[in-house]
Every structure is written in structure tokens, then in C-alpha cells.
Amino acid sequence: MLSRIKDLAANLAPRLIEIRRHLHSHPELSGQEYQTAAYVAGVLSSCGLQVKEGIGKVGVVGELRGQGDDPRMLAIRTDMDALPIQEQTGLEFASRQPGVMHACGHDVHTTVGLGTAMVLSQLGESLPGNVRFLFQSAEEIAQGANWMVKDGAMDGVSGILSVHVFPSIPSGVVGIRYGALTAAADDMEITIMGESGHGARPHEAVDAIWIASQVITTLQQAISRTQNPLRPVVLTIGQISGGRAPNVIADQVNLLGTVRSLHPETSQALPGWIEQIVAGVCQPYGARYEVNYRRGVPSVQNDITLTQLLESSAEEAWGREGIQIIQEPSLGAEDFSVYLQYAPGSMFRLGTGFKDRRNPSLHHPHFMVDESAIVTGVVTLAYAAYKYWHQSQPLLVASHAKQTE
Ligand code: NI
């Protein structure tokens, strides 16, 4: 079966590159992927999938009916949105949309999803269960996965796989990560309220700027002394505002920040921990405070069994040298984690780096991919989907064990 999947994917390669280039030159921002979604729906329909549009606002769901009676449903998720970046690659198929660019490779993800649907739809009776393809909108603003789930995209799903391109892994190599892949990313706003007064008479006022600076310092120090160093927390205050004149004591300061963590328990405890520290700093000096903590996306925790499935599929397809076991998680965020609250899953990193030149990072105006990686991604996903039904049951009916780093 592997060689059949490889042949099908290799034959599709020119068409897949055409699809990817079309998507690349017509990027759309988060939540506005109307043309992309219509295009995706057209390709899925032509492969005989049952297609629903407008799921998760602009998302598309395509269902491939298996020929057997296995009740399990495997989902394969890709994202479709681009970024507000002016492309500077000079490619002939560069973005035709000023100020919008597929600089995070979601054009490649969409193409890999479509290619996987094309390959699997040709496997016929070899596919005993159903595969649901999720093409979500608005990953870059961490909204699309929530919209998809609200519209029932995860109903009946028993496992979910996904992919993200990675320029620092060479093209042809598949990056596998067990456990935490990305971080939980939350936002917070802290307001410190003191009392205004004359700059020369601090004892008659409550200086919100001085207290805010204590809050920032104490938070950073407290991380190092109270958080488990093996469960990283990054807290960045990226914006601070307050005060009106050099000789007037400020009565209010606003701090805006982002909070990243990997371990679900740590993530759970962070809002209370932050509030406690802010309170502890403010109270002795008579300042009032408000902490507004907004949950973003949880950490992506790759399921062991489904990660093994991806690893063994990639290893059979590309050999051990075609795999890189990723040692360190990223403190970036990815809303694939939202689906993982409903079913176990795993996301792999698809190496797209050129071997003989510099590879600018994701979100860079010069970001480029080695397109030969598209076939690598399609074969890996399609074969993993096939093996999902054909491996021994006990291995695959894995508990959605909470994993940590
Ligand atoms: Ni991305």
C-alpha cells in the first residue's frame, strides 16, 4: 500500500504544485478566506467527498466515506489563512494581494490536505473508516479552531492529525515531537490605580508608576523562585502606559502582556498566581488593581499513540534519515490545541528548508518553501491515515492521556 500511495502522490505532484502556487498568489487574511474556501470545496467535490462550506464561518469540511464498518473517524486538519505582510520573495507566483502574504505556509498546508484527500479518495475499499478533512479559517488570530468546533467539526472524531511547515528542517524530513509541541498563549491586562499628587510630595500620593515597576520586577523574579523550572513560563509585558506630566505623580498605569506556558497544570494556575503577586505588591502601598486575564489557546500536547503512528509512517516511507525527533517544544502558539480538547491528536513539522540556501523564518517577507516537501507531507499523512485503520486496535484506541513535556 505504501508504494501505491507514493505512486499516486508522485503522479499528483505537478497538480499539487499548481494548486499551491495558485493559493500562494491569492492569499486572504484570517476570517476572509472566501476564495480559498470556494477553491478548496471545488477540489474536494471533484474527488467525490461530501463537502460542507461555511463551517466555522469560512471553513470547509470534506468527508470521505470508508468502505468498511469501522466506527472510528479520523480527522485531518489544515489551515488556510495568510498574514498582513508585504511579500518580498520576487517569485513569479508571489502574492497578487498587496500587503497580504502566505508567510506561514498555510498555502502548503491546504495543498497537503487536498493532496491527501485526492490520494485517499483513490484507495477505495482499502479505507475501512471515514476521514474528515477540516480546512479552517483564521488560525493566525487563534479563532478558527474554536469556530470549527462550535459548528460540530469534531463531533464523532476519534483522532486528529495535522501538519505545519518548518523552514529550519530540510525539505524531505519530517519533524516528530512527543508531548508538548507549542505553548499555551494567554493575554493579560493589569491596571494599577494609585492617587495623583505633586511630584515633590510623594508621601501625599500613591505613585502608580513606581508600583507598576515593582509589579513587573516582582513577577519576573517570582517566576524564577516559585515556578517549577522544568515547566517553563514566559511572561512579557509588551506595552505600558500611564502618567501625564514629569512633575505629577501618576494615578493609573496599564500593563499589557502575553503569558506562555507548556504544562497544562501550570497554565491552569497562572491567572491566580499573577493576581496574588499583583495584590501582594499593591496592598502595602494603598494601591488598587485589576487583573484581566484572557485565555488564548492551550498548549498543543501531541498524543503518544498518534505521534507513534506519524513516526512509523514517516519512517517506513522515508527511512530513519527522513525523520527528525524534535527535542524542544516551541513557546509559539497554534490553535490545533483546541481540537485536542475533544480527541487525541498529533501535529508534525514538515521540513521545507532548501538545502543550499538561507531559509528565512516563518512570518518573514522572504519566507519560501522547497515545494518538493508537498509530496512528503501528502504521503506521510495519507499513509498514516491508512495505517490508522490497519494497525492493531489496542494501540489505536489510546486513552487521551494527558501528557506533559
Ligand atoms: Ni502557521
Side-chain angles (χ1 to χ4, degrees):
M1 183 51 64
L2 177 58
S3 59
R4 185 154 169 233
I5 289 173
K6 277 185 153 180
D7 286 348
L8 286 169
N11 289 336
L12 283 170
R15 169 81 179 119
L16 293 175
I17 287 174
E18 193 180 285
I19 290 175
R20 187 262 159 165
R21 292 186 177 187
H22 170 82
L23 295 170
H24 191 83
S25 43
H26 299 91
E28 293 173 293
L29 290 174
S30 306
Q32 299 166 35
E33 307 90 332
Y34 298 102
Q35 306 292 332
T36 309
Y39 183 86
V40 163
V43 175
L44 293 176
S45 301
S46 72
C47 300
L49 274 72
Q50 286 180 342
V51 179
K52 283 188 212 152
E53 293 180 68
I55 304 292
K57 301 199 176 170
V58 200
V60 181
V61 172
E63 217 157 289
L64 183 61
R65 292 262 150 213
Q67 312 264 319
D69 51 7
D70 195 315
R72 291 171 300 160
M73 161 108 69
L74 180 68
I76 292 177
R77 170 273 197 179
T78 54
D79 43 16
M80 305 189 290
D81 51 331
L83 287 157
I85 291 175
Q86 179 63 46
E87 179 159 353
Q88 290 171 26
T89 61
L91 291 166
E92 63 192 21
F93 55 90
S95 171
R96 292 186 197 163
Q97 199 63 40
V100 186
M101 176 189 179
H102 268 298
C104 198
H106 297 192
D107 52 338
V108 174
H109 306 164
T110 302
T111 307
V112 168
L114 290 173
T116 306
M118 290 173 181
V119 168
L120 290 180
S121 66
Q122 293 181 57
L123 294 187
E125 68 275 18
S126 326
L127 212 61
N130 302 329
V131 184
R132 184 182 289 163
F133 291 88
L134 311 182
F135 292 84
Q136 76 163 79
S137 140
E139 192 284 326
E140 295 291 355
I141 56 169
Q143 296 290 331
N146 280 311
W147 297 340
M148 294 293 279
V149 166
K150 272 200 194 101
D151 280 355
M154 287 300 282
D155 294 355
V157 170
S158 52
I160 181 163
L161 302 176
S162 191
V163 56
H164 204 295
V165 301
F166 217 64
S168 62
I169 298 177
S171 182
V173 175
V174 168
I176 298 288
R177 168 78 189 162
Y178 284 88
L181 179 72
T182 61
D186 303 326
D187 288 332
M188 64 169 182
E189 179 175 5
I190 302 172
T191 306
I192 310 292
M193 291 157 281
E195 209 181 309
S196 195
H198 196 294
R201 303 185 64 78
H203 55 292
E204 293 173 0
V206 178
D207 185 349
I209 286 185
W210 172 67
I211 293 167
S213 64
Q214 296 290 311
V215 164
I216 296 170
T217 309
T218 309
L219 281 169
Q220 297 301 358
Q221 290 175 344
I223 286 173
S224 100
R225 297 297 84 189
T226 65
Q227 293 293 327
N228 180 343
L230 298 176
R231 297 180 176 183
V233 174
V234 171
L235 187 153
T236 293
I237 302 290
Q239 198 180 323
I240 172 167
S241 52
R244 260 159 278 155
N247 59 352
V248 178
I249 288 173
D251 62 348
Q252 185 166 318
V253 173
N254 280 304
L255 308 171
L256 295 175
T258 180
V259 185
R260 308 290 168 114
S261 60
L262 284 180
H263 197 284
E265 276 170 35
T266 303
S267 167
Q268 200 53 41
L270 279 171
W273 179 82
I274 289 168
E275 175 137 12
Q276 211 180 351
I277 287 171
V278 175
V281 174
C282 288
Q283 272 156 5
Y285 307 118
R288 288 171 301 121
Y289 66 89
E290 221 172 81
V291 178
N292 205 335
Y293 196 93
R294 285 179 296 270
R295 289 279 181 205
V297 294
S299 162
V300 169
Q301 299 284 327
N302 279 341
D303 175 77
I304 290 175
T305 307
L306 289 169
T307 307
Q308 280 168 345
L309 174 73
L310 287 173
E311 183 184 0
S312 64
S313 306
E315 182 169 3
E316 284 177 57
W318 318 113
R320 204 60 209 166
E321 64 282 3
I323 298 179
Q324 185 176 315
I325 299 293
I326 298 165
Q327 299 299 331
E328 289 177 1
S330 151
L331 289 176
E334 162 63 67
D335 79 358
F336 179 57
S337 58
V338 171
Y339 302 103
L340 300 182
Q341 310 308 304
Y342 300 88
S346 188
M347 167 180 268
F348 68 96
R349 287 187 174 160
L350 179 64
T352 53
F354 295 94
K355 291 174 182 92
D356 51 357
R357 45 176 137 139
R358 208 174 68 84
N359 287 290
S361 67
L362 297 167
H363 295 209
H364 191 285
H366 287 114
F367 173 71
M368 276 191 259
V369 303
D370 180 338
E371 290 172 324
S372 66
I374 292 170
V375 166
T376 312
V378 168
V379 170
T380 304
L381 269 180
Y383 189 48
Y386 169 79
K387 279 180 40 135
Y388 182 76
W389 315 110
H390 293 87
Q391 276 189 350
S392 58
Q393 292 268 2
L395 181 69
L396 285 165
V397 185
S399 63
H400 186 195
K402 282 283 169 211
Q403 297 154 44
T404 59
E405 319 89 331

